[in-house]
Amino acid sequence: MSLFTHRAYWRWSAGVQFARLPSTMAPLAFTLLTTATTGSYRLGGVLMSVFVAAEMVCAVPVGRLLDRVGPSRGLPALLLLTAAGYGVLTLAAANGAPSAALLVLVLLPGITGGALSGGFRTLLAETVDDELLPRATTVDAMILDGVLVGGPALVTLLDLAGPLVPLAAMAAACVAAALLVPRRAASRDRVESGPGIPPARPGAALPWLCCAFTIGLLTSTIEVAPLPLVQRLGAPETAAPVVIAVLTGASIAGSAFYAWRGKIGDPRLFLAGFVLGGLVLSANLGWPGLIASVAVIGAFGGPLVATTSVNLQRVLPKNRRSAGFSLSFTVQAAGFGLGSLAVGVLPLWLPPLLGVFAAATAGAMLVRKPARAIGTMSVTS
């Protein structure tokens, strides 16, 4: 069956995009809300920090819970709880709740929302066959680029109707995602425990977690710093969106080529692209160097995400996948946060070298055990 006629996949895709939408809306939605209600955007930043911290701390424990009940059973309940959390936060803000109360209430959607991506990624393995998985993960990465751009744009549009409307829309998106969770896997996702489940191999997932960390670390160097990157070249602030446009366009193009091939790529090749792109970005070789480095990192980023995801599934026992993928997304978010911090406190040439070092480390780990890293695809064995 072709992926593009695979109804279950597109239902899964619609569900996961709705589940992701609130997280992409949250930074701007929180900022606009607190600016309208308190006159200060700073509380919005603190709300977002608390929200992300709750997601990261609770992602793996909640993922373990999903592993126990099965993602097709657990995800709808978890999504409805997340929607309720956003709803409570909306009502509290509408009734003029104090800042301390908002900081406590924002924990509710953060605690339940951290494992959603891991649960949906686990469910993907039950939704498409093994041979479609590389193409499925790559197409999903392409759509995700659109969600990342569309989330803030949607907040800006909805804010015209009032600062509480984006929060209400975030709750509605979670409800829509709960209704779209595929049911096909319901009879297969009961988690067995016993001799049928292979034991976790210590360190088997470590190279892929390192790849996930590298993706967050190096891409944040570009996504957080387009303004200083163009100012370093003497360009005006209006040139900053060009950097993001090149990164996004290259990512979509690289993912499209990878999806067209429909095969598992060699992650060491993609990591080598990250090393090359990071070195050129750090070297400050003018506009040609900036555009070329951003394009290379973008073009190899999408395929590296897909390859990491497929190979990580290969080494995760079936009864640990939701927790394992939740850990992977948390590690990638940690890399993004560390890269963002590095941009803020280090000379501009240095943060890309941190990404280069992380990519080289991940590549070295894969070179040591190439058979485990890049063998024949068998994601459910």
Side-chain angles (χ1 to χ4, degrees):
M1 177 185 295
S2 170
L3 182 67
F4 299 101
T5 59
H6 199 301
R7 296 179 60 182
Y9 171 75
W10 292 110
R11 175 170 177 162
W12 174 90
S13 180
V16 74
Q17 308 317 329
F18 272 114
R20 288 165 172 165
L21 189 59
S23 293
T24 67
M25 296 172 65
L28 184 56
F30 290 163
T31 300
L32 292 176
L33 171 69
T34 59
T35 301
T37 56
T38 69
S40 173
Y41 67 89
R42 297 185 185 278
L43 177 59
V46 178
L47 282 174
M48 190 63 199
S49 298
V50 173
F51 175 75
V52 172
E55 284 191 321
M56 295 180 66
V57 170
C58 298
V60 174
V62 177
R64 289 294 301 273
L65 180 61
L66 278 180
D67 284 323
R68 289 181 179 275
V69 301
S72 69
R73 296 180 179 87
L75 276 174
L78 203 60
L79 284 160
L80 292 177
L81 287 173
T82 306
Y86 286 124
V88 170
L89 184 63
T90 304
L91 291 175
N95 288 279
S99 300
L102 296 180
L103 289 172
V104 173
L105 293 176
V106 80
L107 290 171
L108 298 178
I111 290 171
T112 56
L116 293 177
S117 293
F120 267 102
R121 176 58 185 83
T122 301
L123 193 58
L124 179 61
E126 305 288 345
T127 303
V128 302
D129 296 331
D130 291 356
E131 61 269 17
L132 291 178
L133 191 61
R135 182 171 286 130
T137 55
T138 308
V139 170
D140 179 59
M142 296 169 62
I143 299 174
L144 175 58
D145 285 331
V147 175
L148 293 173
V149 175
L154 181 60
V155 171
T156 302
L157 180 64
L158 294 176
D159 186 64
L160 297 176
L164 295 175
V165 177
L167 283 179
M170 291 158 66
C174 290
V175 174
L179 296 175
L180 287 166
V181 173
R183 307 300 184 192
R184 172 185 172 187
S187 64
R188 294 193 291 160
D189 68 359
R190 181 180 300 275
V191 176
E192 299 90 356
S193 59
I197 298 297
R201 294 175 292 177
L206 189 57
W208 308 113
L209 294 176
C210 189
C211 287
F213 181 81
T214 299
I215 293 165
L217 183 63
L218 190 54
T219 55
S220 67
T221 301
I222 301 170
E223 293 183 5
V224 176
L227 182 58
L229 286 173
V230 299
Q231 288 180 333
R232 183 172 67 172
L233 302 177
E237 296 180 0
T238 53
V242 174
V243 176
I244 300 300
V246 171
L247 180 68
T248 303
S251 177
I252 293 174
S255 296
F257 178 76
Y258 186 79
W260 171 73
R261 293 185 69 249
K263 299 178 180 179
I264 301 177
D266 189 334
R268 294 170 293 187
L269 172 63
F270 307 139
L271 289 166
F274 265 37
V275 170
L276 175 62
L279 289 174
V280 175
L281 182 63
S282 176
N284 189 17
L285 301 179
W287 273 106
L290 175 60
I291 297 301
S293 62
V294 170
V296 168
I297 292 171
F300 285 101
L304 182 59
V305 169
T307 305
T308 298
S309 179
V310 172
N311 280 282
L312 182 61
Q313 181 173 310
R314 295 177 57 208
V315 300
L316 289 175
K318 189 175 181 180
N319 65 338
R320 295 291 186 271
R321 283 180 182 168
S322 293
F325 281 119
S326 295
L327 176 61
S328 174
F329 294 129
T330 300
V331 167
Q332 184 170 331
F336 194 95
L338 183 60
S340 302
L341 177 63
V343 169
V345 301
L346 297 176
L348 194 56
W349 60 269
L350 189 52
L353 295 183
L354 299 180
V356 168
F357 177 76
T361 300
M365 296 172 73
L366 294 174
V367 167
R368 289 183 60 189
K369 293 186 179 295
R372 173 180 293 180
I374 314 168
T376 303
M377 180 174 177
S378 177
V379 296
T380 57
S381 61

